């Protein structure tokens, strides 16, 4: 296993704390929601729960990782650490087609799901 950088370890620790708190205060199945936002230059990871009793979706920001501090590979490392810890699917939003394909090849389509795919 590759050595994790301090930034990656802290992002995983803080994100797991947020997910644990979110899970304690919501109900319904959880999903991770990940996006790569060029405009803000951040990798974003959210957790969401669809309500069992009331209409709607509850959402919490788990991590916003600046491009300047995290590589794409480190972002994936953080994201998949959450997926493994909580055993929940990852919904991707506006991932480049190549990266989405590679993630599906590595982790499977049952874990990596897409909403909107960018051509580039």
């Amino acid at each position: 296993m590759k050595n994790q950088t301090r930034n990656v370890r802290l992002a995983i620790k803080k994100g797991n704390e947020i997910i644990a708190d979110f899970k304690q205060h919501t109900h319904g199945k959880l999903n991770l929601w990940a996006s790569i936002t060029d405009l803000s230059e951040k990798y974003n990871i959210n957790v969401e729960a669809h309500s069992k009793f009331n209409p709607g979706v509850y959402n919490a920001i788990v991590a916003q990782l600046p491009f300047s501090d995290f590589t794409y590979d480190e972002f994936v490392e953080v994201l998949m650490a959450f997926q493994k810890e909580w055993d929940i699917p990852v919904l991707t939003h506006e991932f480049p087609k190549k990266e989405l394909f590679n993630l599906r090849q590595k982790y499977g389509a049952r874990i990596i799901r897409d909403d909107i795919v960018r051509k580039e």
Side-chain angles (χ1 to χ4, degrees), residues 10-34 44-49 58-64 77-90:
L10 289 174
I12 292 169
K13 181 179 186 285
K14 182 66 175 167
N16 279 328
E17 291 170 0
I18 292 169
I19 295 170
D21 186 60
F22 182 78
K23 186 174 182 177
Q24 183 179 1
H25 294 97
T26 58
H27 44 79
K29 289 190 173 193
L30 298 182
N31 293 312
L32 288 171
W33 187 263
N44 299 293
I45 304 171
N46 292 5
V47 63
E48 68 177 12
Y58 300 95
N59 184 15
I61 297 170
V62 175
Q64 290 186 315
E77 187 177 354
V78 171
L79 177 63
M80 297 315 294
F82 298 148
Q83 189 284 322
K84 184 177 179 183
E85 177 73 22
W86 300 97
D87 191 27
I88 53 180
V90 175

Side-chain angles (χ1 to χ4, degrees), residues 22-117:
F22 182 78
K23 186 174 182 177
Q24 183 179 1
H25 294 97
T26 58
H27 44 79
K29 289 190 173 193
L30 298 182
N31 293 312
L32 288 171
W33 187 263
S35 64
I36 301 171
T37 311
D38 292 336
L39 186 61
S40 65
E41 297 185 346
K42 291 181 182 172
Y43 302 107
N44 299 293
I45 304 171
N46 292 5
V47 63
E48 68 177 12
H50 293 265
S51 175
K52 289 181 181 178
F53 308 108
N54 300 319
V57 176
Y58 300 95
N59 184 15
I61 297 170
V62 175
Q64 290 186 315
L65 312 174
F67 291 176
S68 59
D69 296 335
F70 291 84
T71 65
Y72 173 78
D73 289 339
E74 289 173 327
F75 158 65
V76 170
E77 187 177 354
V78 171
L79 177 63
M80 297 315 294
F82 298 148
Q83 189 284 322
K84 184 177 179 183
E85 177 73 22
W86 300 97
D87 191 27
I88 53 180
V90 175
L91 306 173
T92 62
H93 184 74
E94 291 194 20
F95 267 53
K97 195 173 193 177
K98 181 180 175 187
E99 278 80 358
L100 180 61
F101 175 79
N102 291 339
L103 287 172
R104 281 197 164 157
Q105 289 295 306
K106 186 170 182 176
Y107 299 105
R110 295 186 85 183
I111 292 175
I112 305 295
R113 302 173 186 179
D114 65 300
D115 177 38
I116 298 172
V117 180

